[in-house]
Amino acid sequence: MRFIVSTSTLLKQLQSVSGALSNSTVLPILENFLFEIKDGNLTISATDLQTSMTTSLPVEAKENGRIAIPSRILLDTLKSLPEQPVAFSVDDSTFAIEISAGDGKYKLSGENGEDFPKIPVVENASSVNLPASVLGEAINKTIFAVSNDELRPAMTGVFCQLSSQHLTFVATDAHKLVRYRRKDAKADSTTSFILPKKALTLLKSALPADDVNVSVEYNSTSAFFKFGNINLVCRLIDERYPDYEAVIPKENPNKLAIDRLAFLGSLSRVAIYANKTTHQVRLKINGSELNISSEDIDFANEAHERLSCQYEGDDMEIGFNARFLIEMLKNLNCEEVSLEMSTPNRAGILLPQGGDENEDVLMLVMPVMLNSYA
């Protein structure tokens, strides 16, 4: 088998699917790319058995064939080569590969392409089409709140609810929660599933800048994303997602409106002086004044800042983990935010003000107990 392709074109396609590779010591073939040539078209696949990605590109080739090529050495070789045509020659009996580029020749050992795991196909699937920008925004707004706790597998992914009214994406790690809803994206039937974090991270980096349409197909076990020449298929997390609506407080009479960047900057500075274990900051609201403070008694560090804000409700003092608030504020792109609270021991709700009317974003953050409440 022999084919010719440009180094930069091939490298770009390899990098777009390389995130799905596995470092499995049990199945070393998962460290390879699968190259399949059919009628002058090269399809490249990578998988870790849970998530698989494929891409395709035209090449100069007279025959069909398949070979598994070690990913690391191939990527490193292509990165170090200038832009030029590169020829691959594969010995179909020994799976030896020779790469010719300019005056250089490079030899490496491949593996039988027939031994590469079959890339799953989603059967009996329902489908929905989403603009890449909507899907990308949904991933950006939720993925940071996904849990890393393997003992609670349902929370290690993003919960997707599809209905004829809207699409909802939810992520939580029990300390913070994000509910991202789109009113301009709908599905024909009502369903829900949990998408794993790795698949969403790969999707986020692979989605193109131009607003192409992404076809999403899903059944009870897998989801399949297709856009341009990229296909991604992932196994869904087969768990029951917690009832997130139950933890969102409905009555929040104390409402604070403040400039997002001013609030973010102040929290970032004050958090430097907070206890390194709790990252606790204290918000004290009197009238139209917000006092943000932190202290680390062990090192006699403390910080105080004062911001002006709009506030309606009773004066109150509440503690939060600064890292959670900072993360949430960074993942919003509005000018002003609203923080709605009821009591110092109940969750605060962070909402963006203004922005896209088709977008409904709700972020919830659990408080931390202040010493004065003990």
Side-chain angles (χ1 to χ4, degrees):
M1 182 171 96
R2 179 179 163 81
F3 63 94
I4 299 170
V5 64
S6 133
T7 50
S8 60
T9 307
L10 180 58
L11 180 60
K12 186 180 174 197
Q13 298 302 327
L14 290 174
Q15 286 173 327
S16 68
V17 299
S18 63
L21 290 163
S22 167
N23 296 324
S24 168
T25 48
V26 183
L27 269 179
I29 198 163
L30 298 181
E31 295 180 20
N32 292 251
F33 289 115
L34 176 66
F35 277 39
E36 292 179 280
I37 291 183
K38 193 171 182 184
D39 306 330
N41 203 51
L42 168 62
T43 301
I44 303 164
S45 307
T47 184
D48 66 359
L49 299 183
Q50 298 295 318
T51 307
S52 308
M53 286 184 84
T54 61
T55 182
S56 56
L57 66 156
V59 293
E60 278 184 52
K62 291 193 168 58
E63 63 226 304
N64 298 340
R66 57 195 345 220
I67 179 80
I69 304 181
S71 59
R72 183 51 45 214
I73 192 167
L74 179 59
L75 285 167
D76 289 346
T77 304
L78 291 170
K79 282 177 192 169
S80 60
L81 285 170
E83 164 55 33
Q84 61 186 338
V86 58
F88 285 74
S89 301
V90 178
D91 185 318
D92 294 329
S93 56
T94 63
F95 311 115
I97 303 158
E98 184 178 280
I99 303 171
S100 305
D103 297 325
K105 274 193 170 42
Y106 316 92
K107 292 184 179 179
L108 68 156
S109 298
E111 291 191 54
N112 188 345
E114 300 299 328
D115 296 337
F116 199 84
K118 292 275 181 288
I119 303 299
V121 176
V122 179
E123 294 169 339
N124 305 322
S126 307
S127 67
V128 61
N129 285 323
L130 296 174
S133 60
V134 169
L135 187 57
E137 195 62 22
I139 296 171
N140 281 333
K141 288 277 200 303
T142 52
I143 202 164
F144 75 93
V146 168
S147 172
N148 295 318
D149 183 358
E150 296 299 332
L151 297 174
R152 303 163 96 171
M155 288 158 62
T156 61
V158 171
F159 184 52
C160 303
Q161 286 179 301
L162 313 183
S163 76
S164 54
Q165 281 88 39
H166 44 64
L167 262 59
T168 304
F169 300 81
V170 182
T172 183
D173 63 2
H175 301 290
K176 56 185 182 290
L177 178 146
V178 180
R179 186 191 71 197
Y180 179 85
R181 189 168 277 163
R182 288 298 297 212
K183 297 169 188 167
D184 56 346
K186 302 175 174 68
D188 296 333
S189 57
T190 301
T191 190
S192 61
F193 47 81
I194 306 172
L195 291 166
K197 184 177 184 178
K198 178 175 177 177
L200 291 170
T201 306
L202 292 175
L203 203 53
K204 178 180 160 182
S205 56
L207 283 170
D210 51 331
D211 208 4
V212 299
N213 215 31
V214 180
S215 162
V216 186
E217 296 182 2
Y218 51 90
N219 60 18
S220 58
T221 59
S222 306
F224 184 81
F225 299 85
K226 187 174 184 181
F227 50 94
N229 58 346
I230 299 268
N231 292 348
L232 182 149
V233 60
C234 68
R235 197 185 296 269
L236 300 172
I237 296 174
D238 184 18
E239 293 284 335
R240 184 182 171 84
Y241 204 75
D243 180 8
Y244 69 89
E245 292 285 2
V247 297
I248 301 173
K250 302 291 182 276
E251 297 294 320
N252 301 294
N254 302 314
K255 294 179 169 61
L256 165 80
I258 192 164
D259 181 89
R260 180 180 70 90
L261 290 176
F263 192 23
L264 176 58
S266 187
L267 279 169
S268 302
R269 291 185 293 273
V270 171
I272 297 168
Y273 294 81
N275 179 289
K276 295 296 176 276
T277 308
T278 63
H279 306 284
Q280 179 186 295
V281 291
R282 185 184 296 249
L283 306 187
K284 190 173 182 179
I285 313 155
N286 296 316
S288 60
E289 193 173 275
L290 167 65
N291 286 283
I292 304 174
S293 61
S294 67
E295 61 179 347
D296 188 347
I297 296 167
D298 297 341
F299 296 96
N301 296 340
E302 60 177 274
H304 299 266
E305 284 205 23
R306 193 172 68 222
L307 292 171
S308 57
C309 62
Q310 290 173 290
Y311 182 66
E312 53 184 77
D314 301 329
D315 289 356
M316 74 182 292
E317 211 170 328
I318 188 167
F320 289 111
N321 181 317
R323 287 196 312 177
F324 298 155
L325 275 179
I326 289 167
E327 219 171 6
M328 290 177 162
L329 290 166
K330 279 183 175 173
N331 281 283
L332 291 171
N333 39 20
C334 52
E335 285 186 17
E336 195 173 82
V337 292
S338 164
L339 181 61
E340 299 185 357
M341 299 157 289
S342 54
T343 60
N345 58 359
R346 298 200 63 194
I349 303 287
L350 192 67
L351 302 167
Q353 298 302 299
D356 190 342
E357 60 184 24
N358 288 314
E359 198 177 62
D360 173 9
V361 187
L362 178 146
M363 295 185 173
L364 174 149
V365 59
M366 297 304 290
V368 291
M369 292 305 254
L370 294 169
N371 300 338
S372 51
Y373 305 137

